[in-house]
Amino acid sequence: MIRPNYYNGIIERYRDRLPVDEETRVITLCEGDTALIRLENIEKEIGLGIELYAKFEGLNPTGSFKDRGMTMAVTQAVSEGAQAIICASTGNTSASAAAYAARAGIRAFVLIPQGKIALGKLAQAMIEGACVIQIKGNFDDGMRIVKEVAAAAPVTIVNSINPYRLQGQKTAAFEIIDALGRAPDIHGIPVGNAGNISAYWVGYSEYAAVLPATASCSFCEERCRYPSAAVVQGRPRMFGYQAAGAAPFIRGEMVDDPETVATAIRIGRPQSWDLAWAAVNESGGAFASLSDEEILKTQRMLAEKEGIFCEPASAISVGGVLRDVKNGTIAPGSLITCTLTGHGLKDPDTAIKQSEGPVIEIPAELDAVKRAILENL
Ligand code: AN7
């Protein structure tokens, strides 16, 4: 029975723009349709006629934007008869791969850097039944090994070098335009392995009916259907932000020992190097880096001022655009969207460590509670 108002994920919603047909068995957890939250309190503080929105991708079923790409990649893998998928991950990809594999009834193998992934992500991959392989190395080591393994064993890679991942993830750009009725002037986004910034650029370009001049993903070159009529005019300038200790795009070369408190983007050898450069160059955007201190400060500010709890890697997009507004890189009056890529609950340790809010211990008595309230009003 078809229920017309039942939301069933990004593939159903954007079916005519994605590589599926009527026969395809869609593997979905109803991902997408995430909130585009106006950051009204921060807007008031910054002034300058800035209109600022956060696309809160932490609201996806496994708590990160990866679900958009994973529904598409796993749907495709299953349609090709795959029995197993594999990925290297700083955490979120592994959680998402595990969930969609469970949904599809296939096996997931995930390689994660030992001791360097947030606890929530590890918990997800474990309970979702993935085979969790901790390596004594970082994400880039894992990525290299995964590519070698997949060349020799019957497992499908679901990292963002899988072009179907980018196809799914481009739908976030569609949703932003569908919500605003126009393209933003500026889009700020965290950059790690660089798949997401590339996917947004594909999405924004597709809605503007413009083929990116520089090579798009291999999948798009072959099969993307760009409709003749544009949904909107224009595309945003793409601003990609990296952690200072893991900033190959700012350094202009690969980084051997990436280090940052934002473990999600602790990546030194981004796989979508060319695509991400194309997105930034064609759009007239830029890459910039933020220190760990700036990242954590922004994470706390979003929580305290707007009630939005995102993970450290996500906060970098808002921290980055605010800095670029202040230093004049972003013009007054701009309409800015930022992607908050993952939920704060993924990484409770980092949140607790940096929280200043008082946790008060008192006897379970009315007077003691009254006193605590009066002292902290
Ligand atoms: C919260 O999970 O690479 O630039 O293995 O988890 O598309 O890589 C995660 C990346 C930003 C960077 N924010 O996106 C993984 C992984 C969060 C992330 C990124 C990631 P890309």
Side-chain angles (χ1 to χ4, degrees), residues 18 56 64 89 99 132 169 198 209 226 247 254 265 269 302 337 350 352 355 362 367 369 371 377:
L18 290 168
F56 192 17
S64 87
S89 180
V132 178
Q169 284 170 213
S198 308
Y226 288 89
M254 301 299 175
I265 50 173
R269 300 183 165 273
L302 278 164
T337 51
T350 306
I352 290 170
S355 289
I362 50 164
D367 281 347
V369 175
R371 213 175 311 123
L377 264 179

Side-chain angles (χ1 to χ4, degrees), residues 251-270:
R251 291 221 204 151
E253 60 183 15
M254 301 299 175
V255 170
D256 278 335
D257 293 305
E259 206 45 82
T260 168
V261 67
T263 51
I265 50 173
R266 188 172 165 271
I267 295 173
R269 300 183 165 273

Side-chain angles (χ1 to χ4, degrees), residues 253-303:
E253 60 183 15
M254 301 299 175
V255 170
D256 278 335
D257 293 305
E259 206 45 82
T260 168
V261 67
T263 51
I265 50 173
R266 188 172 165 271
I267 295 173
R269 300 183 165 273
Q271 297 293 310
S272 296
W273 181 260
D274 294 341
L275 289 178
W277 273 116
V280 161
N281 288 337
E282 282 179 32
S283 71
F287 288 112
S289 64
L290 276 77
S291 68
D292 279 3
E293 203 187 344
E294 288 174 291
I295 292 170
L296 292 176
K297 210 178 100 199
T298 312
Q299 184 195 23
R300 204 165 54 229
M301 184 192 66
L302 278 164

